Amino acid sequence: MAIVEIDNIVRRFGQVTAVDHVSIDITEGEYVVFLGPSGCGKTTTLRLVAGLDVPDEGEIRIDGRVVASAASKVFVPPQRRNIGLVFQTYALWPHMNVFDNIAFGLDVQKRPRREIRERVAETLTYMQLDGLGERFPHELSGGQQQRVALARMLVARPKIYLMDEPLSNLDAKLRMEMRAELQRIHRDLGCTTIYVTHDQFEAIALGSRIIVMKDGKISQDGSARDVYERPANLFVARFVGNPPINLVEGELSVEEGRPWFHGDGLKVPADVPRSRMGARVLAAFRPEDVRVLDGAGRSDDDAPVLAGTVAARMMAGSNVIMYVDLPTGRDLRVICDKDVTYGVGDHLKFVVPKESVLFYEDAEDGVLIESEGRRERRTDA
Amino acid sequence: MTRMDARSEVVRRERWAAPRAALRWLTTPHVALSLVLLAVLAIFVIAPIVNIVVDTFTWQSGDTRFDRSAVAGEFTLFHWTRVFAGPLTRRILVEPLLNSILTALGATAVALFIGTGLAWLLVRTDLPFKRVLAPLAFVPYIMPSYTLALAWLTLFKNQRYGAPGVFEYLTGIAIPDWFAYGPIPIMIVLGLHYFPFVYLLAANALLSVDRSLEECGEVLGASQWLVLRRITLPVILPALLSGFVLCFARVIGNFGTPYFLGAPIGFMTLPTQIFSNLGMRFNGVAYILVLILITISALAVLVNQRLIGVRRSFATITGKGFVTKQVRLGWWKVPALALIGGTMFFAAILPFGLFGIQSVMSRLGVYSVEHLTSAFWLSSGETITEGRPGVLVSPVILRALWNTLRLGIAAGAVAAVLGTLIGYASVKGRGTPLAKALEQVAFLPYLVPSLAFGTLYLALFIGGFGPIPSLYGTFALLVLACTFRNLPFAARTGHATMMQVSGEMEEAAQTLGAGWFYRMRRIIFPLVVKGMVAGFTFVFVTSVRELSLIITLVTPETMTLTAMTLRFEELLLVQFSNAITVLLIAVTLVTVFILNRLGGRFGAQRSPV
């Protein structure tokens, strides 16, 4: 059974609908990431689950108990929901030292003094904060403050962890470290976690399940793999991935008894239902799926090929990102091996493997056109 | 559970939706708190005003003097007719009203001139000793408002009313009445007392002016004086107008100064007229004059809000302002310093010194070593003291000192706590009608001049009110008056402090399971304690030096030092009143010093408007 059930909730602020009929069931132990641009309603949804805000419509249940219901006006305040929350700003209390900050949740539970001391000490060690108990928050580095905020939540042993962009105030290097740390905590404790972020890398790195939100609605709800490899619509396709996914406008048509995509110099066999023939669509493929066709290499007979001139070349450590001008005026983003020797001005040919191409309806946030076989498998399940 | 069961379960739950929603609203901490605070404010702010309006339309207990058929509590228009259309209208209303407006305008002009000039010199120029002068500028405001009036008398009074003043003693020149008493000295003295108020507003305005506006003028070749005249002054003009209007609203309610300087020659203002009518038990008339005073003051504040603009949020005056490029005074430094020094000397140091000297003189008006005496400080009663023990040994005066201190402490503490709670409730409920109502009601006392406010309390609490027994003659009444009169300041401080505490501080505690009282105790109060000390300091200082507010409420048992001064002045035992004033100022300054050390920064106190 789901431990958190979000049932058709709505939250409005004046004219703006911040959360628009959102339903999510979260099973015990799941690590769910709410991902989306700022203003998409992800933090509001989190605050509704935490009880820091009240839904205008719908119902939220935690552990089978109704904690907020717009219809029956039931509302359980945060202090009786058994949740833990890590804030973006950490919200450490400046007038308390690290020990007192962490001990607060246990003080509230009126635990005996000795137990508090032991559990805080244990948590300090677990979070690698040994010896910092007497310090005050302003005497800590950003990373240490982050650890204290996590420790403060962990020590109280809540049933659900809520995290609101906890890493966004850290520099890139620390952020990587803390991601690993968060994974370790989840592995150790296996606690249900809802994690809010606008950082797609973070979402994909951490979440076993990602819920992409836009304008208060759920845009896609799936595994990290799904969201990255099979974005449900153009919004998700564009939002996830850096450099962004390549999109080519074109048309579907039947040739030699097979459906094909034509457009902007690209011709790809398309595994889409026959009913879509003649439709305007967008072909989408990730920059890392594009391969450079060098002189020696040879493409398969029907492998789609694009030709263009390298306009920019950026070293990104483990690989190289190239922006290529196509004759149609469009640009193509390509990620290739760091050892490639091509430079700006080189005229190159590129192969786009047909299995890596997805097709979307040509509309604002057009949805993914599923292949016939896949659609059937879905309906079976 | 079958489907039917599930449905009836939902129906059953929804039946209680409305009462549950109401209960949840009522038990939301900031809502419950707002309602409680509004109830308190209804009793101590709104009820007194409504009550006094009703009283002006009913016969008061002593009114059988005017009309044998008068029954206390019955409806009558007698008081209104007497004030507005009676044979005495000119003496009761018109003259005091005109006198009040005249002196208030004059005093405000003086305050504006000194306050703005000082602000410009201290904020925008390279005047030396600024760090010393900036805090000194507040000293006149910390002292009781009538101190300067007494000092004026000590210096300039003439033989017409008792012994001559120091000036006449030293020079032999007789001071004419118009300079010793009446409107001229009242304007000067009040201006010197209230200029720190204007200074605060003007300094904040100057600090908030974008320096690049002025630099732009300089780049275009304008001289410093041209920049000052054409750019700086117009930019801060709204703030200056605001300062003028608000200062006027405060000055017009001042009682002590016109009482000491005007009453001897029969020059009455509204506050002194109210006081004398109360003394003669013409309560109905006094209450109408109170309402007029409130109306003038409220109109001024409204004009400020509507016409001159929004209630500005002023930055604190410490720090950044002194960093920007400053106007170089050059040789002008000398006259500027002399002017400031002279003002400070006259407004702050001289009164203290004069009182000190006079309090050890056995004969008034004769300042020589052979007349030195400690009788007024230490004796157990001599002929020259009319048998009264000295200030430091008199049980009556020591009790008044104790009353003064505990009044300041009690009012300061209650106002600081209430102000913090109002700040909390209004910040938490920001934007809701309830929070707006709370803020506005808490601001109401600001519209009521001190003497008027005291009279409101006298009228309401002299008899019992609802469940509250008669409070007249109790110390609690003084505390209540000082608390609620100063509540707007405390609430503003509380609001400003609360705005600086991020909501997440409390939410974090909430998610960890802490209930409201626990959160307040462990998180909110510790985080705002500095603001509370500031609020406490402000209310403490205004309460211990308060005369106008409490003069209608004190009784021999609840006598404070300020009221004591007035008594001795009336008895012509001037040395006593001087000694008491010296004692009071010393005690106030020491306390402020200690409180400053504790963290409240009086000088950096946010403007309450």
Side-chain angles (χ1 to χ4, degrees):
Chain A
M1 197 179 115
I3 184 161
V4 179
E5 297 162 81
I6 300 171
D7 191 353
N8 223 7
I9 53 167
V10 175
R11 179 72 176 109
R12 296 185 193 89
F13 297 109
Q15 297 294 308
V16 184
T17 306
V19 178
D20 192 358
H21 297 94
V22 164
S23 296
I24 304 164
D25 282 357
I26 296 166
T27 36
E28 183 133 32
E30 237 182 332
Y31 203 112
V32 181
V33 177
F34 293 174
L35 172 68
S38 63
C40 74
K42 53 193 193 302
T43 294
T44 308
T45 310
L46 187 82
R47 288 174 61 86
L48 288 166
V49 173
L52 296 172
D53 203 349
V54 187
D56 294 317
E57 283 175 39
E59 194 166 287
I60 299 172
R61 292 177 291 275
I62 294 180
D63 230 354
R65 177 171 70 132
V66 177
V67 293
S69 161
S72 62
K73 300 291 178 200
V74 171
F75 181 76
V76 179
Q79 61 264 36
R80 286 191 270 121
R81 290 193 183 191
N82 199 10
I83 44 125
L85 176 58
V86 176
F87 292 82
Q88 182 174 2
T89 57
Y90 316 142
L92 299 179
W93 299 302
H95 62 294
M96 296 185 194
N97 63 21
V98 168
F99 184 96
D100 290 337
N101 260 286
I102 297 176
F104 187 87
L106 301 174
D107 289 345
V108 172
Q109 294 171 15
K110 298 207 166 60
R111 300 278 168 188
R113 210 61 226 153
R114 241 189 68 190
E115 186 193 332
I116 293 178
R117 256 202 311 277
E118 280 165 13
R119 275 171 67 177
V120 173
E122 213 172 85
T123 313
L124 282 171
T125 309
Y126 182 73
M127 290 308 298
Q128 297 155 37
L129 290 165
D130 286 303
L132 299 180
E134 299 298 313
R135 299 260 191 105
F136 281 85
H138 67 266
E139 299 169 323
L140 300 176
S141 69
Q144 288 167 334
Q145 289 181 13
Q146 170 66 68
R147 285 167 191 276
V148 175
L150 275 167
R152 187 173 68 180
M153 175 183 76
L154 295 179
V155 78
R157 292 179 191 156
K159 194 130 181 87
I160 300 158
Y161 297 167
L162 305 173
M163 302 195 202
D164 185 9
E165 310 222 12
L167 306 186
S168 62
N169 286 359
L170 298 179
D171 63 50
K173 196 165 162 238
L174 261 174
R175 209 178 303 166
M176 288 295 269
E177 274 172 34
M178 285 309 295
R179 265 182 223 158
E181 187 82 38
L182 288 172
Q183 263 183 354
R184 174 177 74 110
I185 293 168
H186 186 63
R187 205 180 51 235
D188 290 353
L189 308 174
C191 210
T192 314
T193 306
I194 303 179
Y195 188 102
V196 165
T197 182
H198 64 266
D199 181 335
Q200 36 144 341
F201 282 122
E202 209 161 287
I204 287 167
L206 289 170
S208 55
R209 177 179 167 197
I210 295 175
I211 293 171
V212 186
M213 293 185 71
K214 189 204 176 201
D215 297 338
K217 296 193 184 74
I218 294 177
S219 208
Q220 182 167 8
D221 176 352
S223 67
R225 231 190 140 85
D226 267 353
V227 166
Y228 191 76
E229 292 180 358
R230 300 192 61 79
N233 51 53
L234 283 174
F235 168 72
V236 180
R238 287 193 182 109
F239 186 71
V240 179
N242 190 21
I245 200 161
N246 290 299
L247 292 169
V248 180
E249 283 171 40
E251 212 165 89
L252 292 170
S253 60
V254 182
E255 262 173 51
E256 300 159 18
R258 296 170 59 183
W260 286 82
F261 169 89
H262 277 279
D264 256 1
L266 183 70
K267 188 183 173 197
V268 207
D271 183 12
V272 294
R274 297 256 162 184
S275 57
R276 301 283 185 161
M277 290 309 114
R280 300 282 311 166
V281 296
L282 291 174
F285 49 94
R286 294 276 173 207
E288 64 269 29
D289 291 331
V290 180
R291 276 190 297 111
V292 182
L293 185 67
D294 50 24
R298 217 184 66 85
S299 71
D300 304 334
D301 289 339
D302 60 355
V305 175
L306 284 167
T309 315
V310 178
R313 178 186 189 277
M314 285 163 284
M315 181 69 184
S318 54
N319 51 41
V320 166
I321 299 166
M322 289 198 292
Y323 281 74
V324 178
D325 282 338
L326 298 178
T328 53
R330 186 172 286 283
D331 78 353
L332 178 74
R333 296 170 283 272
V334 182
I335 296 179
C336 42
D337 198 83
K338 70 175 190 311
D339 299 326
V340 293
T341 52
Y342 320 113
V344 173
D346 287 352
H347 191 77
L348 298 172
K349 285 181 175 174
F350 301 91
V351 180
V352 181
K354 61 178 190 221
E355 59 283 355
S356 66
V357 183
L358 301 166
F359 299 97
Y360 292 88
E361 288 170 357
D362 187 6
E364 164 96 13
D365 298 345
V367 298
L368 177 68
I369 302 169
E370 303 258 23
S371 70
E372 216 130 47
R374 184 176 271 268
R375 254 217 319 219
E376 272 156 26
R377 280 202 303 281
R378 285 246 165 130
T379 32
D380 287 352
Chain B
M1 209 187 323
T2 68
R3 185 164 292 186
M4 279 303 286
D5 285 348
R7 182 161 308 159
S8 65
E9 159 74 14
V10 168
V11 170
R12 202 172 55 75
R13 263 174 33 197
E14 290 186 6
R15 184 180 308 150
W16 292 100
R20 205 180 277 133
L23 185 70
R24 194 182 79 212
W25 186 72
L26 283 173
T27 52
T28 308
H30 71 83
V31 172
L33 187 62
S34 297
L35 291 173
V36 171
L37 289 169
L38 274 174
V40 171
L41 291 175
I43 296 172
F44 292 106
V45 175
I46 296 174
I49 298 176
V50 174
N51 172 67
I52 207 169
V53 173
V54 173
D55 275 1
T56 61
F57 287 106
T58 50
W59 288 112
Q60 301 298 301
S61 54
D63 289 346
T64 39
R65 278 177 291 172
F66 309 113
D67 188 336
R68 293 201 154 265
S69 64
V71 179
E74 298 256 304
F75 174 82
T76 176
L77 285 174
F78 171 79
H79 310 300
W80 287 92
T81 338
R82 185 175 157 85
V83 172
F84 281 96
L88 293 175
T89 296
R90 206 184 144 70
R91 261 196 42 213
I92 294 177
L93 175 69
V94 179
E95 277 174 9
L97 181 64
L98 291 178
N99 288 344
S100 276
I101 292 175
L102 174 78
T103 50
L105 283 177
T108 307
V110 173
L112 197 71
F113 178 75
I114 303 177
T116 314
L118 191 63
W120 184 75
L121 285 171
L122 288 185
V123 172
R124 275 300 156 81
T125 69
D126 59 347
L127 192 78
F129 311 120
K130 279 195 292 201
R131 303 236 166 240
V132 184
L133 290 173
L136 259 184
F138 290 96
V139 172
Y141 203 59
I142 289 174
M143 298 195 302
S145 67
Y146 60 83
T147 316
L148 284 173
L150 291 183
W152 188 278
L153 284 182
T154 311
L155 261 183
F156 296 125
K157 77 183 164 194
N158 54 29
Q159 301 227 26
R160 188 161 149 191
Y161 304 94
V166 176
F167 187 80
E168 190 171 335
Y169 176 80
L170 292 178
T171 63
I173 302 168
I175 302 286
D177 272 4
W178 64 266
F179 194 73
Y181 309 97
I184 302 288
I186 292 177
M187 288 179 203
I188 296 173
V189 159
L190 283 179
L192 283 173
H193 175 68
Y194 283 102
F195 82 79
F197 186 78
V198 179
Y199 162 75
L200 193 65
L201 293 172
N204 280 320
L206 277 173
L207 283 174
S208 64
V209 173
D210 186 353
R211 267 298 287 168
S212 58
L213 294 177
E214 293 166 317
E215 279 159 5
C216 189
E218 280 162 28
V219 170
L220 290 170
S223 71
Q224 286 180 345
W225 294 108
L226 193 66
V227 168
L228 174 67
R229 207 156 47 80
R230 296 286 299 276
I231 300 175
T232 316
L233 274 179
V235 169
I236 65 164
L237 193 64
L240 293 185
L241 278 176
S242 187
F244 187 88
V245 172
L246 293 173
C247 188
F248 175 84
R250 320 212 74 219
V251 172
I252 204 164
N254 187 285
F255 163 74
T257 299
Y259 183 75
F260 288 128
L261 292 175
I265 58 161
F267 181 85
M268 301 298 272
T269 62
L270 281 179
T272 54
Q273 182 72 345
I274 292 167
F275 183 71
S276 102
N277 272 285
L278 284 174
M280 294 182 286
R281 304 259 291 147
F282 295 159
N283 290 1
V285 169
Y287 295 166
I288 291 171
L289 296 180
V290 162
L291 288 177
I292 293 170
L293 199 52
I294 293 175
T295 310
I296 296 173
S297 176
L299 274 179
V301 175
L302 280 181
V303 162
N304 174 53
Q305 282 181 10
R306 288 291 141 79
L307 298 184
I308 301 172
V310 277
R311 280 202 253 151
R312 259 153 264 278
S313 57
F314 293 104
T316 50
I317 53 154
T318 49
K320 68 166 188 186
F322 296 99
V323 185
T324 54
K325 184 175 157 273
Q326 289 161 337
V327 174
R328 298 171 64 154
L329 289 176
W331 283 105
W332 284 99
K333 271 179 202 162
V334 180
L337 263 186
L339 205 66
I340 293 184
T343 308
M344 300 283 188
F345 175 78
F346 194 77
I349 299 161
L350 183 70
F352 203 68
L354 270 181
F355 295 164
I357 293 171
Q358 186 145 286
S359 70
V360 291
M361 289 294 155
S362 62
R363 274 186 62 199
L364 279 177
V366 184
Y367 303 90
S368 60
V369 183
E370 61 263 36
H371 285 103
L372 267 181
T373 174
S374 62
F376 294 99
W377 285 95
L378 295 167
S379 83
S380 56
E382 292 176 16
T383 328
I384 49 165
T385 68
E386 294 187 2
R388 293 161 203 268
V391 166
L392 293 181
V393 290
S394 158
V396 178
I397 290 168
L398 289 180
R399 190 179 59 192
L401 171 64
W402 167 234
N403 278 340
T404 300
L405 283 178
R406 66 183 180 136
L407 175 63
I409 291 167
V414 179
V417 170
L418 274 180
T420 306
L421 291 176
I422 290 171
Y424 174 85
S426 60
V427 169
K428 280 279 157 182
R430 219 172 334 165
T432 63
L434 196 62
K436 278 184 198 146
L438 183 63
E439 276 180 58
Q440 274 163 12
V441 177
F443 180 70
L444 270 185
Y446 191 80
L447 308 180
V448 184
S450 289
L451 182 91
F453 199 82
T455 313
L456 295 182
Y457 270 43
L458 175 72
L460 183 64
F461 295 109
I462 195 159
F465 171 65
I468 303 166
S470 169
L471 292 176
Y472 185 69
T474 64
F475 183 68
L477 185 57
L478 298 189
V479 174
L480 286 171
C482 285
T483 301
F484 286 95
R485 172 70 182 94
N486 291 309
L487 195 62
F489 306 86
R492 287 287 292 190
T493 311
H495 189 94
T497 321
M498 223 36 104
M499 287 295 278
Q500 286 165 3
V501 176
S502 110
E504 292 180 350
M505 289 289 132
E506 190 182 357
E507 288 175 355
Q510 221 177 342
T511 59
L512 287 166
W516 185 72
F517 286 101
Y518 198 79
R519 298 199 298 269
M520 289 307 273
R521 187 163 64 79
R522 291 273 320 259
I523 308 292
I524 300 295
F525 275 110
L527 286 177
V528 300
V529 75
K530 264 195 175 177
M532 290 177 76
V533 173
F536 174 87
T537 311
F538 187 88
V539 178
F540 175 87
V541 169
T542 46
S543 299
V544 296
R545 68 156 167 72
E546 190 62 73
L547 177 68
S548 313
L549 176 60
I550 58 173
I551 189 62
T552 53
L553 302 175
V554 286
T555 56
E557 280 70 43
T558 59
M559 191 67 78
T560 65
L561 286 183
T562 50
M564 210 79 181
T565 318
L566 188 83
R567 288 295 138 89
F568 280 115
E569 201 71 19
E570 283 170 345
L571 292 169
L572 295 178
L573 286 168
V574 177
Q575 293 95 325
F576 270 120
S577 70
N578 288 337
I580 292 171
T581 307
V582 168
L583 181 66
L584 177 60
I585 297 174
V587 167
T588 309
L589 288 178
V590 167
T591 318
V592 169
F593 180 76
I594 294 170
L595 286 170
N596 268 328
R597 277 294 167 88
L598 281 178
R601 305 189 322 282
F602 185 71
Q605 179 74 43
R606 265 157 195 276
S607 157
V609 275

